[in-house]
Amino acid sequence: MKTAITELFGIEHPIIQGGMHYVGFAALAGAVSNAGGLGIITGLTQRTPELLAKEIARCHDLTDKPFGVNLTFLPTFSAPPYPEYIAAIREGGIKIVETAGRSPEQYMPALKAADIKVIHKCTSVRHSLKAEQIGCDAVSVDGFECGGHPGEDDMPNMILLPRAAEELKIPFVASGGMADARSLVGALAMGAAGMNMGTRFIATKEAPVHINVKNAIVAASELDTRLVMRALRNTERVLKNAGVERLLEVEREKGAKLKIEDIHDEVAGVYPKVMIDGDMDAGAWSCGMVVGLIHDIPSVKELVDRIMLDAERLIRDRLMGFLGTESKASLKVA
Ligand SMILES: Cc1cc2nc3c(=O)[nH]c(=O)nc-3n(C[C@H](O)[C@H](O)[C@H](O)COP(=O)(O)O)c2cc1C
């Protein structure tokens, strides 16, 4: 399938694996790129720029295809040395960076000087337009359904994607709630040039996380995510568990007076406990409503191949079928 996104990034299929803390290691990014999508290493999971350089080198050993690095600009307990991370990205020969969180404006000159294509993740049309204006090459439009930080507008993709299509000149992918061929074809119909998946890629054989995490995703339904940290305007969609219940209890008690320190134990240092140790009640970890559509743990290649094959069937059989034989004939002539 050829779209503005496959052309921009030099990939076979319009499928991106979004950066994911403690999930987006070389093993997953390499597998996604080898399957014809765009794999992304999560920059800040690597505690130092030197460790990121090593992870990039590891991924180069796994694939000759393009892959990217995610740089997230979110409120953290200690500010990371972004210029040094960008140097590691540039020196690692990376040509695609997924930015997220705050605007990447201040880092655009450094990224562009290194001939890096930037896809910025946005949860609103206004932020997408800003990304376009500051020179981003593409946008990942992240709807309210998404795992991670859906922003504060609560705008689902059924509205957000066609609105993005109305306003944007640069290509965009649909992100949040994407799981299969139906997601891809629906997103394309609404104006996107591909899709970005997070949660779906965790439940794959190659995702380097504890099996408990994959099993929890398969077992969960679309009703099992919760929004946390709303009072801090840092809303995150997470999978419910005992730690999240404790966190929500504190949030209810404190109301608008909530401070990040009040919930430190349920949000800080949780990822290694969940992703490496498989402690599923440790606290808040990002997870999308799309868990309701995830029923198996295939290899990344099986997943990507299945999506692309089913998408073709969906378009040719189901959608073209609605047009009737007469229209099909006229389309063939065209
Ligand atoms: C476990 C997990 C960790 C994530 N960590 C990050 C991150 O560090 N930076 C980032 O930009 N997005 C992060 N995301 C968001 C994903 O890149 C992607 O935008 C999101 O998962 C899309 O929604 P979906 O889960 O419905 O596919 C994370 C998502 C998950 C599920």
Side-chain angles (χ1 to χ4, degrees):
M1 190 181 282
K2 211 176 188 180
T3 74
I5 285 293
T6 59
E7 298 308 284
L8 180 67
F9 295 139
I11 53 177
E12 195 185 342
H13 307 307
I15 299 176
I16 300 177
Q17 165 249 316
M20 287 181 279
H21 199 35
Y22 275 90
V23 183
F25 294 97
L28 180 60
V32 173
S33 289
N34 279 332
L38 181 70
I40 294 190
I41 292 175
T42 317
L44 297 188
T45 299
Q46 304 301 323
R47 284 187 324 280
T48 64
E50 294 72 34
L51 288 172
L52 176 59
K54 285 192 182 140
E55 199 63 17
I56 291 171
R58 222 167 271 142
C59 203
H60 280 305
D61 288 341
L62 294 175
T63 184
D64 294 330
K65 304 219 171 130
F67 63 92
V69 171
N70 169 283
L71 267 187
T72 303
F73 308 108
L74 281 178
T76 50
F77 289 99
S78 56
Y82 288 110
E84 282 88 335
Y85 275 98
I86 291 173
I89 288 168
R90 185 188 61 231
E91 283 153 26
I94 295 294
K95 292 293 170 202
I96 303 165
V97 164
E98 177 198 50
T99 52
R102 287 194 315 271
S103 167
E105 186 165 13
Q106 125 182 54
Y107 302 105
M108 286 303 285
L111 293 166
K112 286 286 135 194
D115 198 22
I116 289 171
K117 297 202 168 80
V118 179
I119 176 164
H120 185 51
K121 194 149 48 189
C122 301
T123 58
S124 70
V125 173
R126 65 187 183 284
H127 292 145
S128 303
L129 284 170
K130 171 80 182 170
E132 179 174 280
Q133 185 208 323
I134 64 170
C136 291
D137 301 275
V139 179
S140 203
V141 174
D142 220 15
F144 183 53
E145 307 89 333
C146 72
H149 294 268
E152 310 304 324
D153 290 348
D154 300 356
M155 194 57 64
N157 268 333
M158 218 57 193
I159 309 296
L160 192 54
L161 297 176
R163 278 290 297 124
E166 284 176 8
E167 303 269 350
L168 285 175
K169 290 186 199 72
I170 53 174
F172 66 95
V173 295
S175 178
M178 304 287 129
D180 52 32
R182 297 169 298 182
S183 324
L184 177 60
V185 174
L188 294 173
M190 285 187 274
M195 69 175 175
N196 178 63
M197 301 195 295
T199 306
R200 173 66 268 198
F201 274 123
I202 305 177
T204 57
K205 291 206 172 82
E206 291 91 338
V209 302
H210 199 284
I211 186 68
N212 289 357
V213 182
K214 304 181 190 187
N215 288 339
I217 287 175
V218 171
S221 91
E222 62 275 24
L223 301 173
D224 290 335
T225 69
R226 296 290 179 268
L227 294 175
V228 298
M229 294 192 283
R230 181 122 267 191
L232 302 174
R233 291 189 65 77
N234 185 28
T235 301
E236 183 178 0
R237 185 178 297 285
V238 302
L239 192 67
K240 75 167 188 195
N241 61 45
V244 169
E245 291 305 327
R246 283 196 303 275
L247 190 164
L248 289 170
E249 190 54 43
V250 177
E251 290 196 344
R252 274 190 293 271
E253 270 168 32
K254 303 271 175 182
K257 295 203 181 91
L258 183 77
K259 294 201 182 63
I260 187 74
E261 298 78 35
D262 298 327
I263 52 171
H264 181 276
D265 291 353
E266 281 76 32
V267 296
V270 170
Y271 276 81
K273 289 185 205 154
V274 172
M275 300 298 176
I276 298 172
D277 306 338
D279 175 1
M280 298 313 295
D281 285 318
W285 63 277
S286 297
C287 183
M289 288 172 150
V290 73
V291 279
L293 297 174
I294 300 173
H295 310 301
D296 60 357
I297 306 173
S299 73
V300 166
K301 183 164 167 42
E302 281 161 0
L303 176 66
V304 170
D305 285 351
R306 180 166 83 198
I307 292 172
M308 295 316 299
L309 195 69
D310 287 352
E312 196 174 327
R313 283 201 197 113
L314 247 179
I315 295 167
R316 286 193 203 285
D317 299 344
R318 183 171 165 80
L319 301 186
M320 300 278 280
F322 289 138
L323 297 177
T325 45
E326 212 174 296
S327 309
K328 259 193 208 163
S330 64
L331 277 174
K332 260 187 209 139
V333 172

